[in-house]
């Protein structure tokens, strides 16, 4: 075996390996040189015919060439794989700016969203959520709340009647729930009662059906000052920590002293605008100390037990929060409207 | 209620700005909703007298007037026709400003110089629609400010009074409040600077004055409905329009001037809050006033020229023949004051508030009088009002006041007395107001603190004596005009509101936990909302009203229970005439609305109550229901092609997800794993499965609102939990829907009984699953459920899951047949399954399918 021939093979091989560009070509060359019938393998087989004096020399060289080839193949393979991988990624490149697959999530109604927010704040303050019927008797809606049949205060609510004979009506407020709960439960009572209420009104700011949340806390030694504290915490959570809040005297037959609670106008920040009618204040809820006659009606000892109650309109709060100027939008249920919240 | 600031100042010395006053009133419970500044735009308009009127040399329609401003004579070109020499008119001088930001300059009109302008009410902004120069009272003094003499330099406070404060429905009432708030004294009527009383003097002076008792007899037949009736007669009055400034005073507070006598009664009503009525004395038959209830069938034509039918509950003022007025509501036309009236009988009375309110409602007649009477007027004040009016009538209408008054007051009312425990005030309010301050507040409000040391012997308070602490409790006597103050808590409120709510510190609520209340319904509601939201559904909220006529449009059968709905007695409209017995009309209206606005892909739901009458109970059944409606595509438009249209199975899948969320599975074993052991599955049929509480079944739905072949009832045991499916094409046509609409309705009251929230962990099998597919052709008549159940039963407990992955009907297979392909998942909890074990079961399944369902198995 000629040593020169081996050197030549080495050079040819190296040259060939240098030129390959694909894994297939590498494999072909691997077979050509290192395969069972490969050139190098053949030479190794022929080593036995080499005269003994040259044998170790040639053998050494052959092995050297083989190792060199294996190394070259390895490196070359890595190189090509890298290129191939790069090309593959290149080929698989997407237009990342095409629109994604739409994930259409629905939403609850904006009124429900606000209602949930209100509920959550009060639940954190230890109030329990209670519901009551929407069709009520005159007793629960008016009489038990200190409004006799011909009480002028009944004018505050234009009532929709189901049957004047049975004295059934659509509740004009959520306050009847107060009575229903207190009739069944002894103090302490701490509830909020969300729900639908009904009035015979229909215009840009009045709907014949809307939502209210009623609150009631009755226990020993509950004071007007507690009422203020609770509502201030609520309003700060609901609107903003620095919101202006004012309590002013008002009248509800079922509370006394009664208060109307205003917040600083969210739109003009108190400067005076159309929404607040120039006053800088917006009426947000009604409240007061539960009237002793109401407590008496449910059989509580009015000397020992005091309490406060409050009520608010959910639509009104939602309208303020979302700058909605027509209450009827809530009940059209236009998807273009509902998707905004 | 509108209140004049100038008028208030006649009663009370106001030392703060009107804005500050408004704020203080609001913070004391008299909410000032608006402040109206009258005549703000008008400047420099004075009284002028027309000295001469000449024709304009260059214009037919214009005149040239010489007008005196009291000092100088000015030349004014004028176009109006209603003026004559000697008229006093508003003269806008050069430099004057008129309504609408108009400035007056010296001008030359068609060659004649005009040194100002004569004004109409419209130009002054006093009245929007009256043209023609305003002719002022002839007594007006030239040069005086017109704004001032007409009271148009005033500020009007618009106060939203709460219904309890009947005592504030007057200038006097508001003035009283202001005096209390500002802690200043009230200038009482007897010392009133402007209109001091002269009636008695004039009566005494008048020798011709007759004794009233000879002129009229007053009889109260219903003393519980009319506690007091007083009257005075003024003879020989002249009925003419009131002086302009009086008319303006009424107009700016919202009352239309009629004639001098009526205007004066209204003026007194505004000032003192007591409604008066003036009769034409000569038209009263029998010279008799009888306060009685109406006889059945009696009628009266009231001043508004409407004939009204009366009944025995309505109180009337009658003469000897017939009713001449509706007591406290409105006078009769026949006996009213007209230009022919010479002698006037003035009525000042006190009527029972409840009766007035009831009658006014019955007659649907609300007036300034009813508004005050039903809130309760000051029974003591009634004579003052009568005398004030008489005085003014004499002043403005001439005539002679007859001697004395008739005053029928059978049982005089005395002031109420209330015990106030000052420590209770602080206990309720949660603060510490010094007692002296409390007393001060009460005194300012006109309450009299009678004694402070003992409290026995007061009738009506005996039961409270035990609570009385000698030396600590106060006995408060309440002025009669404060009929809203009847018990201790009312006094506490009075103290609180004058003390100032803003001064009551707020305390951080601290509390003991109350009993835990689990509201299962609301948990279910929230879960359902959540699933639907995640599936792209938007919640809607509809009114609880509906139109009864919608039932036919919905193709409800005549016996459908939902046709038994509750009607509203006084609905806003026929469309809102009933309470909804179903949520369907509302949501279909929403679908319709959105389709009309070109939104075709709709997924909406509502959770709300429906109402059903309940036999022998006054309150109806309120059932909480879910309604959902879908149509169009279930996903937004996407550039990759995929099947996106909504169909029955889309909805079916949603329902399955909903049910799973509340712990109910469909009959597919895989999803719920209700059957545990092999034996359980031996004799299971579809009907026995449906009896499982945790499993729901589908049955065809007979409701005509649906497409009969594409709708289902959701059934658990024997309860129909809900229905869903495609809306009947007939209903679609009626609602003008151009594409299929799908509905789902679920009755929460039925669902709640089967809801299962308890969850228990089951270990996962440690051994691999083997999946075998099976494809079969069977008759189209056989429901998928039957195939499923047969596979399930035969597969025993090695079979873990059955998944249908293909359904084919069409040319490739024979008509009336379908091809179904299932993936069967075999798995054991005990060991790795061998092929043999699986093959054995799988073969058995194939055999059964062939034998029982004549299935043709495809390879």
């Amino acid at each position: 075996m000629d040593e020169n021939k081996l050197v030549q093979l080495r050079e040819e091989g190296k040259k060939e390996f240098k030129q390959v560009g694909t894994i297939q070509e590498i494999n072909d060359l691997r077979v050509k040189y290192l395969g069972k019938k490969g050139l190098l393998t053949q030479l190794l087989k022929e080593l036995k015919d080499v005269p003994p004096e040259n044998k170790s020399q040639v053998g050494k060289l052959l092995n050297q060439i083989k190792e060199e080839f294996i190394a070259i193949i390895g490196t070359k393979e890595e190189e090509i794989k890298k290129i191939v991988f790069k090309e593959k990624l290149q080929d698989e490149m997407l237009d990342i700016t095409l629109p994604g697959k739409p994930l259409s999530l629905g939403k609850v109604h904006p009124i429900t969203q606000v209602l949930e927010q209100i509920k959550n704040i009060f639940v954190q303050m230890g109030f329990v959520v209670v519901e009551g019927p929407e069709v009520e008797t005159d007793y629960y809606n008016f009489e038990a709340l200190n409004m006799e049949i011909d009480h002028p205060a009944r004018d505050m609510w234009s009532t929709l009647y189901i049957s004047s004979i049975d004295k059934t009506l659509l509740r004009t407020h959520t306050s009847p729930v107060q009575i229903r709960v207190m009739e069944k439960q002894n103090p302490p009572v701490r509830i909020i009662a969300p729900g639908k209420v009904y009035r015979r009104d229909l215009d840009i700011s009045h709907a014949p059906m809307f939502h209210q949340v009623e609150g009631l806390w009755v226990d020993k030694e509950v004071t007007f000052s507690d009422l203020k504290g609770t509502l201030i915490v609520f309003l700060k959570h609901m609107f903003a920590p620095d919101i202006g809040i004012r309590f002013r005297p008002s009248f509800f037959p079922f509370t006394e002293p009664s208060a109307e609670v205003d917040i600083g106008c969210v739109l003009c920040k108190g400067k005076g605008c159309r929404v607040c009618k120039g006053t800088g204040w917006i009426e947000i809820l009604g409240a007061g100390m539960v009237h002793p006659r109401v407590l008496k009606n449910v059989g509580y000892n009015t000397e020992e037990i005091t309490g406060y109650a409050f009520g608010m309109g959910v639509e009104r709060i939602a309208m303020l929060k979302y700058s909605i100027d027509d209450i009827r939008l809530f009940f059209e249920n236009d998807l273009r409207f509902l998707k905004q919240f | 209620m509108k209140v004049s600031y100038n008028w208030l100042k006649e009663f009370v010395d106001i030392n703060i700005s009107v804005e500050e006053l408004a704020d203080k009133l609001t913070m004391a419970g008299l909410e000032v909703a608006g402040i109206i500044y009258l005549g703000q735009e008008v400047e420099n308009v004075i009284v002028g007298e027309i000295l001469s009127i000449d024709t304009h040399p260059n214009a037919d329609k214009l005149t040239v007037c010489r007008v005196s401003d009291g000092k100088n004579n000015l030349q004014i070109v004028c176009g109006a026709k209603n003026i004559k020499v000697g008229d006093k008119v508003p003269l806008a001088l050069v430099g004057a400003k008129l309504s609408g930001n108009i400035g007056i300059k010296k001008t030359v009109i068609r060659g004649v110089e005009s040194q100002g302008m004569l004004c109409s009410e419209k130009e002054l902004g006093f009245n929007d629609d009256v043209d023609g120069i305003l002719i002022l009272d002839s007594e007006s003094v030239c040069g005086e400010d017109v704004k001032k003499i007409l009271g148009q330099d005033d500020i009007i406070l618009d106060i939203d009074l709460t219904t309890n404060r009947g005592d504030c429905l007057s200038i006097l009432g508001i003035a009283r409040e202001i005096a209390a708030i500002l802690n200043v004294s009230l200038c009482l009527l007897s010392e009133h600077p402007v209109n001091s009383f002269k009636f008695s003097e004039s009566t005494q002076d008048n020798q011709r004055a007759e004794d009233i008792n000879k002129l009229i007899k007053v009889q109260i037949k219903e003393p519980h409905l009319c506690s007091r009736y007083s009257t005075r007669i003024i003879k020989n009055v002249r009925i003419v329009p009131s002086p302009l400034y009086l008319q303006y005073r009424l107009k700016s507070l919202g009352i239309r001037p009629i004639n001098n006598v009526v205007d004066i009664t209204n003026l007194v009503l505004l000032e003192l809050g007591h409604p008066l009525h003036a009769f034409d004395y000569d038209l009263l038959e029998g010279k008799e006033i009888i306060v009685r209830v109406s006889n059945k069938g009696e009628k009266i034509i009231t001043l508004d020229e409407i004939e009204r039918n009366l009944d025995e509950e309505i109180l009337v003022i009658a003469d000897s023949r017939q009713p001449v007025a509706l007591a406290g509501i409105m006078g009769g036309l026949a006996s009213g004051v007209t230009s022919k009236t010479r002698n006037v009988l003035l009525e000042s009375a006190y009527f029972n508030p409840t009766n007035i309110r009831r009658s006014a409602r019955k007659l649907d007649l609300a007036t300034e009088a009813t508004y005050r009477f039903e809130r309760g007027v000051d029974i003591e004040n009634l004579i003052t009002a009568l005398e004030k009016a008489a005085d003014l009538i004499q002043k403005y209408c001439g005539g002679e006041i007859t001697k004395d008054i008739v005053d029928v007051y059978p049982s005089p009312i005395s002031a109420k007395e209330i015990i106030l425990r000052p420590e209770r005030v602080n206990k309720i309010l949660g603060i510490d107001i010094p007692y002296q301050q409390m007393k001060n507040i009460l005194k300012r409000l006109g309450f009299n603190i009678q004694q402070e040391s003992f409290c026995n012997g007061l009738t009506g308070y005996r039961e409270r004596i035990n609570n009385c602490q000698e030396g600590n409790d106060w006995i408060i006597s309440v002025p009669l005009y404060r009929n809203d103050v009847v018990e201790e808590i009312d006094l506490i409120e009075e103290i609180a509101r004058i003390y100032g709510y803003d001064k009551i510190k707020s305390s951080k609520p601290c509390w003991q936990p109350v009993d835990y209340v689990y509201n299962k319904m609301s948990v279910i509601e929230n879960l359902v909302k959540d699933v639907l939201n995640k599936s792209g559904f938007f919640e809607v909220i509809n009114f609880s009203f509906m139109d009864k006529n919608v039932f036919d449009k919905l193709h409800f059968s005549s016996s459908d229970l939902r046709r038994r709905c509750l009607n509203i007695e006084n609905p806003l409209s026929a469309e809102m005439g009933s309470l909804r017995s179903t949520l369907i009309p509302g949501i279909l209206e929403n679908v319709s609305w959105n389709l009309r606005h070109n939104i075709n892909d709709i997924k909406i739901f509502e959770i709300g109550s429906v109402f059903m009458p309940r036999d022998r109970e006054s309150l109806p059944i309120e059932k909480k229901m879910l309604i959902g409606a879908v149509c169009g595509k279930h996903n937004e438009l996407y550039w990759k092609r995929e099947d996106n249209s909504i169909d029955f199975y889309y909805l079916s899948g949603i329902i399955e997800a909903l049910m799973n969320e509340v712990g109910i599975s469909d009959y597919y074993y895989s999803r719920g794993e209700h059957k545990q052991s092999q034996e359980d599955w031996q004799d299971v049929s579809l009907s026995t499965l449906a009896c499982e509480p945790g499993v729901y079944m589908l049955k065809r739905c007979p409701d005509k609102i649906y497409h009969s072949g594409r709708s289902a009832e959701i059934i658990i045991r024997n309860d129909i939990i809900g229905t869903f499916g495609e809306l009947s094409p007939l209903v679609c046509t009626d609602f003008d829907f151009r594409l299929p609409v799908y509905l789902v309705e679920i009755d929460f009251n039925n669902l709640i009984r089967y809801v299962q929230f308890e969850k228990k962990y089951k270990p996962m099998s440690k051994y691999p699953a083997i999946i075998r597919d099976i494809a079969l052709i069977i008759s189209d008549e056989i429901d998928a459920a039957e195939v499923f159940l047969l596979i399930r039963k035969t597969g025993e407990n090695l079979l873990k899951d059955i998944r249908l992955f293909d359904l084919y009907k069409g040319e490739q297979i024979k008509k009336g047949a379908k091809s179904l392909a299932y993936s069967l998942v075999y798995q054991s909890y005990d060991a790795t399954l061998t092929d043999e074990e699986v093959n054995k079961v799988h073969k058995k399944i194939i055999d059964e399918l062939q034998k029982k369902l004549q299935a043709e198995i495809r390879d």
Side-chain angles (χ1 to χ4, degrees), chain B residues 668-699:
Chain B
Y668 285 94
Y669 168 63
S670 58
R671 319 286 163 90
E673 300 211 5
H674 278 276
K675 289 290 177 187
Q676 285 300 306
S677 67
Q678 190 178 340
E679 299 79 56
D680 280 350
W681 281 99
Q682 288 309 311
D683 47 16
V684 163
S685 66
L686 282 176
S687 50
T688 56
L689 249 185
C691 285
E692 289 289 315
V695 178
Y696 74 89
M697 289 288 297
L698 299 182
K699 275 190 188 161

Side-chain angles (χ1 to χ4, degrees), chain B residues 545-765:
Chain B
F545 313 111
M546 68 172 189
D547 184 349
K548 269 207 291 198
N549 293 318
V550 82
F551 296 138
D552 291 331
K553 214 172 152 187
L554 295 172
H555 294 261
F556 282 179
S557 70
S558 56
S559 60
D560 197 311
L561 282 178
R562 290 171 292 189
R563 280 182 182 267
R564 285 186 62 212
C565 59
L566 287 143
N567 298 323
I568 294 166
E569 276 187 353
N570 55 337
L572 275 161
S573 65
E575 290 79 50
M576 298 197 260
S578 304
L579 276 185
R580 57 184 180 180
S581 55
T582 160
L583 301 183
I584 295 171
I587 203 143
L588 289 186
E589 188 44 53
N590 303 148
V591 170
S592 179
W593 170 284
N594 282 292
L595 289 176
R596 284 204 304 276
H597 290 86
N598 283 322
I599 302 154
N600 294 314
D601 303 329
I602 300 169
K603 286 197 273 183
I604 49 178
F605 74 97
E606 177 172 14
I607 293 173
S609 290
V610 298
F611 303 82
M612 304 269 188
R614 198 196 315 246
D615 296 330
R616 290 190 300 280
E617 289 237 15
S618 58
L619 288 186
I621 300 169
E622 292 182 25
K623 277 205 294 185
K624 199 161 258 187
M625 303 283 285
L626 163 77
I627 186 88
V630 287
C631 66
K633 307 260 179 259
H634 64 68
N635 243 327
E636 279 172 51
L637 197 62
Y638 182 43
W639 49 271
K640 267 190 186 177
R641 282 177 198 192
E642 50 181 31
D643 182 21
N644 208 2
S645 54
I646 282 168
D647 61 8
F648 180 87
Y649 300 106
Y650 172 76
L651 211 47
S652 188
I654 301 270
I655 284 156
E656 190 183 325
L658 269 184
M659 289 297 179
N660 285 347
E661 198 63 25
V662 294
I664 300 166
S665 66
D666 66 353
Y667 54 84
Y668 285 94
Y669 168 63
S670 58
R671 319 286 163 90
E673 300 211 5
H674 278 276
K675 289 290 177 187
Q676 285 300 306
S677 67
Q678 190 178 340
E679 299 79 56
D680 280 350
W681 281 99
Q682 288 309 311
D683 47 16
V684 163
S685 66
L686 282 176
S687 50
T688 56
L689 249 185
C691 285
E692 289 289 315
V695 178
Y696 74 89
M697 289 288 297
L698 299 182
K699 275 190 188 161
R700 296 218 179 269
C701 178
D703 196 336
K704 290 281 175 288
I705 194 162
Y706 291 117
H707 186 306
S708 60
R710 297 181 174 180
S711 56
E713 284 178 337
I714 307 159
I715 291 175
I716 303 177
R717 294 200 158 165
N718 290 320
D719 286 324
I720 302 172
I721 305 300
T723 58
F724 72 97
E726 187 178 323
L727 205 59
S728 156
L730 292 174
V731 178
C732 274
T733 309
D734 287 350
F735 278 85
D736 205 17
F737 296 154
R738 302 169 303 277
L739 74 181
V741 172
Y742 295 83
L743 284 185
V744 52
E745 198 177 16
I746 289 173
D747 183 338
F748 278 180
N749 296 53
N750 280 344
L751 178 68
I752 194 168
R753 286 189 266 164
Y754 300 103
V755 164
Q756 176 56 262
F757 288 134
E758 237 170 76
K759 284 171 185 162
K760 287 224 169 68
Y761 158 73
K762 275 183 231 116
M764 291 72 77
S765 171

Side-chain angles (χ1 to χ4, degrees), chain A residues 99 101 106-107 109 112 134-135 150 161 164 190 198 200 224 226 228 256 258 293 302-303 335, chain B residues 357-358 421 424 428 487 490 493 501 504 507 512 533 539 544 569-570 594 622 635 639 642:
Chain A
K101 185 175 164 68
K107 298 267 185 68
H109 196 279
T112 309
E134 292 171 33
V135 178
D150 289 297
Y161 289 93
S164 38
R190 194 163 52 242
Y198 301 86
R200 204 175 178 281
F224 191 87
D226 295 334
K228 277 187 82 171
E256 188 157 20
S258 298
R293 276 188 247 175
T302 56
E303 282 304 308
L335 281 163
Chain B
R357 181 175 157 77
R358 215 176 279 179
R421 294 161 294 167
R424 181 81 180 166
I428 297 272
E487 55 197 308
D490 300 322
E493 180 175 66
Y501 281 10
I504 298 174
S507 51
Q512 303 275 310
N533 281 162
E539 187 193 19
S544 305
E569 276 187 353
N570 55 337
N594 282 292
E622 292 182 25
N635 243 327
W639 49 271
E642 50 181 31

Side-chain angles (χ1 to χ4, degrees), chain B residues 438-629:
Chain B
M438 290 185 197
K439 279 189 199 167
N440 178 271
I441 288 170
L442 291 171
K443 278 178 187 155
R444 275 151 65 183
L445 285 165
F447 295 98
N448 192 8
I449 304 161
Q450 282 182 338
Q451 40 194 320
E452 299 164 26
S453 53
F454 72 94
C455 59
N456 54 7
L458 273 176
T459 39
Y461 289 94
R462 281 187 188 282
E463 80 273 14
R464 289 260 307 276
I465 284 174
N466 289 341
N467 293 324
C468 256
Q469 288 175 29
E470 188 152 339
N472 282 339
D473 295 351
W474 302 342
I475 297 170
I476 310 292
S477 80
V478 181
L480 278 171
Y481 53 83
R482 288 307 301 270
N483 59 12
D484 60 316
V485 177
V486 295
E487 55 197 308
E488 186 183 41
I489 193 73
D490 300 322
L491 291 170
I492 295 175
E493 180 175 66
E494 288 303 300
I495 292 168
R497 77 182 175 90
I498 299 296
Y499 177 76
Y501 281 10
D502 49 345
K503 290 204 204 94
I504 298 174
K505 67 175 187 341
S506 70
S507 51
K508 275 268 155 53
C510 65
W511 42 270
Q512 303 275 310
V514 289
D515 284 344
Y516 174 70
V517 180
Y518 177 60
N519 187 341
K520 198 172 182 184
M521 189 61 99
S522 83
V523 175
I524 296 171
E525 219 180 289
N526 286 335
L527 278 172
V528 168
K529 278 181 188 168
D530 198 36
V531 170
L532 290 173
N533 281 162
K534 286 171 182 163
S535 314
F537 283 68
F538 283 85
E539 187 193 19
V540 297
I541 298 178
N542 286 295
F543 290 148
S544 305
F545 313 111
M546 68 172 189
D547 184 349
K548 269 207 291 198
N549 293 318
V550 82
F551 296 138
D552 291 331
K553 214 172 152 187
L554 295 172
H555 294 261
F556 282 179
S557 70
S558 56
S559 60
D560 197 311
L561 282 178
R562 290 171 292 189
R563 280 182 182 267
R564 285 186 62 212
C565 59
L566 287 143
N567 298 323
I568 294 166
E569 276 187 353
N570 55 337
L572 275 161
S573 65
E575 290 79 50
M576 298 197 260
S578 304
L579 276 185
R580 57 184 180 180
S581 55
T582 160
L583 301 183
I584 295 171
I587 203 143
L588 289 186
E589 188 44 53
N590 303 148
V591 170
S592 179
W593 170 284
N594 282 292
L595 289 176
R596 284 204 304 276
H597 290 86
N598 283 322
I599 302 154
N600 294 314
D601 303 329
I602 300 169
K603 286 197 273 183
I604 49 178
F605 74 97
E606 177 172 14
I607 293 173
S609 290
V610 298
F611 303 82
M612 304 269 188
R614 198 196 315 246
D615 296 330
R616 290 190 300 280
E617 289 237 15
S618 58
L619 288 186
I621 300 169
E622 292 182 25
K623 277 205 294 185
K624 199 161 258 187
M625 303 283 285
L626 163 77
I627 186 88

Side-chain angles (χ1 to χ4, degrees), chain B residues 398-410:
Chain B
E400 304 110 36
I401 300 176
T402 52
K403 201 174 152 194
D404 223 340
I405 58 169
V406 174
D407 182 14
V408 184
Y409 190 11

